Amino acid sequence: MSREGKMDRRRFFRNAGTGLAVAALVPEAAPARRDDKVSNRANIYIDYASPGHEIPRLIYGQFIEQLGMCIERGLWTANGINPDYFLGGIRPEVLEAVNSINPACIRWPGGCFADSYLWKDGIGPMQNRPIRPNRAWNTWGKAVGPDVTNQFGTDEFCQFCEQVRAEPMITANAGSAPPDDAAAWIEYCNRGTEAPWGQERARNGREKPYKVKYWFVGNEMWNSFEFGHCTAEEYAKRFVEYAKIMRKADPDVKLIACGIGQPTNDWNRAVLTGAGQDMDYLSIHAYYPGKLFAAIGPARLKQHLSYYSPLEGVPVFEEHLDRSWEAIEKWGPAGREIRITFDEWNLWYVFWDVIRANYNLRDGLFVAAMLNGLQRRADRIPIANIAQMINCIGIIFVDEKGVFLTPSAWVFKMYTENAGQIYVSAKTDCDRIIGKEADIPVLNVSSSRDRAGKILNLFVVNQHRTEDISTEIKLAGFNPETQAHVHELSHPDPLRFNNLRKPEAVVPSMNSVRLALKDTDSAKSFRYSFPPHSVTVMVLKQA
Ligand code: AHR
């Protein structure tokens, strides 16, 4: 299980955009001609009574990794001994920012880093924890792969999750550590003091087990950059071996196998046929636009990207997820429920964004359209984690001088605050904008309700750059109060960023809006105009 040869930079780029089948590193030509001359009218038809699937909260997940400024100099301030900071290392304003977006789950410690991480280094008294080189990422320099201070270890991660009420998810090292290590880690997190590692946790000040339910068996093993990289057949065997030992430590854990969002599904077929009996989830990752970030530098990238191109990532991702689901249906063993975890997804423009990125309003629209698609697929993909939470391709920006939410984080918050529990079918009749890689609907719509049947949440992304879309919304089986709460994220400039000088340049508004309700064809209806390049979450109450 030694690390494969020297890292192949071109191959890493290709893999890092994965899921996207980035075939070649071809520089983009001039932006594609695009036809966005579309009708500025649309219809949405909601059938409240139609039975929909559950939308588990875990689709609103986050991910943190020892990469760039995510943990070191982001979430965690070095020398974690400040009495005013949570656990000695998390600044109050950082904790508040994370709390404010309500992550349902957080995945850690990677990512590629996980397959090099030695978890026993990160427990016990801080002063005894070793500082190690970041074996996974330091080939790119210390800004990308900062030394591992081991201050933010297992207890800190689990207690941080408890503090922000997020379910912890851990990626076990299946690349450079034996299965016994993964089992001991489970024992440390989940067992009482009858077990030696449970005793060790108690000695470290925490008697009550953390009960970490979700465990990844390695990360992206198909990736030549990964520690322990291997073929799909080898990985399937390895998964079975790890699973047996990990489940002995705690039979209640859910185990997640590395999959890949690849149109041919070759890897997924081999993993599902070789290890399907032992797995609970297949992990899929995707970043967009994979080929651009390899081919051109940051300055030129801005000129090459049109407003619309990142939004085309949504149907591209959905296609990969749907193909991966087909793999499960085709090759998953009969009688075993295997679902997808989409535990890394985001826009990743240039490689160096792993140090620290910032995202604009259009990128926020991408997040909203993705969350709509995830709500629609939540029966097949009950877990999803945006990558990542802080700084490193991160939706929360943290600096010594301040902290702010990017529009992507504001969108995430708008969705977690109004999530609903049951999917409600929303049929949309609108024009499509013709793209280079994919076409996108002018309005991307999803809808949910509460379990009690008293609330209807409508999530609408107007993806058009310049047009208001006047929309007739018909509600069958739901009679709303005339006052609705409308949360809206918009700004005259779709490419507007928040920054330290203007951290709230793009923030959502919340208004109480009076609906002009009409009775049409045994349904209630009203007209609403969605502003250009905006995200709207409308909350309606049953009258
Ligand atoms: O999120 C950044 C990296 O992208 C992760 O470490 C890896 O899993 C993926 O390739």
Side-chain angles (χ1 to χ4, degrees):
M1 248 191 285
S2 71
R3 184 167 187 202
E4 201 193 72
K6 234 178 147 234
M7 180 180 43
D8 172 341
R9 183 186 158 112
R10 298 185 109 224
R11 256 203 299 169
F12 171 66
F13 277 130
R14 197 158 60 227
N15 288 338
T18 199
L20 301 182
V22 178
L25 304 180
V26 187
E28 281 281 278
R33 252 195 69 239
R34 198 175 302 271
D35 184 5
D36 72 351
K37 305 243 174 324
V38 294
S39 162
N40 58 3
R41 292 179 91 80
N43 297 294
I44 297 174
Y45 178 77
I46 305 274
D47 186 3
Y48 196 75
S50 73
H53 52 255
E54 292 267 333
I55 305 178
R57 265 201 90 78
L58 297 185
I59 67 166
Y60 304 106
Q62 295 285 336
F63 167 46
I64 54 173
E65 178 172 11
Q66 185 75 21
L67 171 57
M69 292 176 68
C70 181
I71 294 181
E72 308 286 343
R73 298 200 294 148
L75 177 63
W76 189 261
T77 302
N79 304 324
I81 47 170
N82 190 321
D84 298 330
Y85 293 178
F86 180 63
L87 302 170
I90 303 178
R91 286 153 55 195
E93 61 272 34
V94 176
L95 190 64
E96 191 190 319
V98 174
N99 241 324
S100 76
I101 64 167
N102 316 298
C105 55
I106 304 177
R107 176 176 180 250
W108 170 85
C112 297
F113 176 76
D115 285 311
S116 70
Y117 180 56
L118 305 173
W119 71 271
K120 290 172 195 160
D121 285 350
I123 55 169
M126 287 271 178
Q127 67 276 14
N128 298 344
R129 300 190 194 177
I131 299 175
R132 305 247 190 233
N134 189 325
R135 296 187 295 155
W137 290 108
N138 66 2
T139 334
W140 302 92
K142 287 206 179 184
V144 172
D147 283 348
V148 189
T149 64
N150 277 308
Q151 292 184 354
F152 188 78
T154 303
D155 290 286
E156 289 73 24
F157 170 64
C158 290
Q159 288 171 33
F160 165 60
C161 287
E162 285 179 347
Q163 182 73 14
V164 298
R165 299 171 310 282
E167 178 100 36
M169 308 178 105
I170 293 184
T171 309
N173 178 344
S176 62
D180 283 343
D181 252 53
W185 202 357
I186 293 180
E187 200 177 296
Y188 185 88
C189 292
N190 292 359
R191 295 282 293 276
T193 46
E194 78 290 348
W197 283 104
Q199 268 169 37
E200 181 67 21
R201 186 194 60 245
R203 270 196 294 279
N204 290 335
R206 169 72 184 218
E207 175 112 21
K208 189 171 153 221
Y210 294 116
K211 292 284 169 207
V212 178
K213 180 168 165 194
Y214 298 97
W215 291 81
F216 294 80
V217 180
N219 174 70
E220 294 189 356
M221 280 298 158
W222 42 262
N223 186 345
S224 60
F225 178 74
E226 196 76 21
F227 274 66
H229 159 64
C230 57
T231 66
E233 289 74 16
E234 284 163 352
Y235 175 68
K237 280 198 195 120
R238 194 184 300 173
F239 183 93
V240 172
E241 184 196 354
Y242 276 64
K244 200 193 297 162
I245 299 174
M246 289 168 82
R247 287 195 204 279
K248 276 221 172 98
D250 179 355
D252 294 334
V253 292
K254 298 283 176 201
L255 297 183
I256 306 164
C258 303
I260 181 169
Q262 178 198 46
T264 58
N265 267 322
D266 294 342
W267 173 281
N268 295 336
R269 185 189 56 236
V271 171
L272 284 159
T273 48
Q277 269 319 340
D278 290 291
M279 60 198 257
D280 299 299
Y281 296 90
L282 185 72
S283 152
I284 302 294
H285 298 168
Y287 294 99
Y288 196 83
K291 66 186 156 216
L292 285 180
F293 82 176
I296 47 181
R300 285 184 57 213
L301 180 77
K302 297 281 176 304
Q303 299 154 16
H304 280 261
L305 276 180
S306 78
Y307 159 82
Y308 288 110
S309 36
L311 298 173
E312 288 175 28
V314 176
V316 173
F317 282 11
E318 289 177 343
E319 174 70 14
H320 285 281
L321 289 169
D322 294 342
R323 290 293 78 75
S324 305
W325 178 250
E326 277 172 20
I328 292 177
E329 288 198 307
K330 222 160 153 184
W331 297 300
R336 184 157 186 101
E337 277 202 355
I338 299 174
R339 298 282 181 265
I340 292 176
T341 61
F342 191 33
D343 46 277
E344 287 186 31
W345 64 268
N346 203 356
L347 295 167
W348 183 353
Y349 290 116
V350 287
F351 175 71
W352 305 108
D353 283 349
V354 291
I355 299 172
R356 182 164 64 187
N358 196 359
Y359 289 105
N360 63 25
L361 173 58
R362 184 268 323 276
D363 303 329
L365 265 60
F366 164 86
V367 170
M370 281 299 302
L371 292 175
N372 284 352
L374 288 168
Q375 289 183 352
R376 289 192 284 265
R377 291 171 176 75
D379 50 340
R380 287 150 280 162
I381 310 167
I383 297 174
N385 309 62
I386 192 165
Q388 298 191 8
M389 186 164 73
I390 292 177
N391 287 340
C392 160
I393 44 173
I395 65 169
I396 300 175
F397 187 102
V398 173
D399 188 88
E400 299 87 52
K401 298 190 207 82
V403 175
F404 63 84
L405 302 189
T406 68
S408 299
W410 281 111
V411 164
F412 190 86
K413 176 174 163 65
M414 285 164 78
Y415 276 64
T416 55
E417 282 178 351
N418 303 286
Q421 289 122 9
I422 315 263
Y423 178 70
V424 175
S425 137
K427 295 208 173 72
T428 311
D429 167 23
C430 65
D431 276 356
R432 295 182 76 83
I433 299 162
I434 313 298
K436 197 174 168 196
E437 274 205 78
D439 299 346
I440 55 169
V442 173
L443 295 187
N444 184 313
V445 180
S446 180
S447 172
S448 71
R449 67 175 171 88
D450 62 332
R451 232 180 276 287
K454 297 205 178 330
I455 303 277
L456 171 67
N457 308 297
L458 187 57
F459 305 87
V460 181
V461 190
N462 178 1
Q463 309 199 84
H464 203 283
R465 186 182 172 118
T466 53
E467 295 289 329
D468 281 286
I469 304 295
S470 170
T471 308
E472 181 77 9
I473 301 171
K474 243 189 212 175
L475 308 171
F478 190 82
N479 179 18
E481 287 181 355
T482 45
Q483 289 300 126
H485 283 143
V486 178
H487 307 257
E488 180 187 292
L489 189 71
S490 62
H491 187 278
D493 178 2
L495 304 181
R496 180 67 210 230
F497 290 89
N498 291 334
N499 56 39
L500 284 171
R501 257 185 328 105
K502 291 210 167 147
E504 303 211 328
V506 188
V507 292
S509 59
M510 207 288 276
N511 291 301
S512 181
V513 171
R514 193 173 170 79
L515 311 174
L517 290 167
K518 289 189 297 184
D519 284 304
T520 4
D521 314 330
S522 70
K524 291 281 177 193
S525 73
F526 61 97
R527 187 162 280 283
Y528 193 86
S529 194
F530 296 99
H533 57 264
S534 66
V535 178
T536 303
V537 179
M538 208 176 260
V539 182
L540 308 174
K541 275 201 190 129
Q542 183 86 261

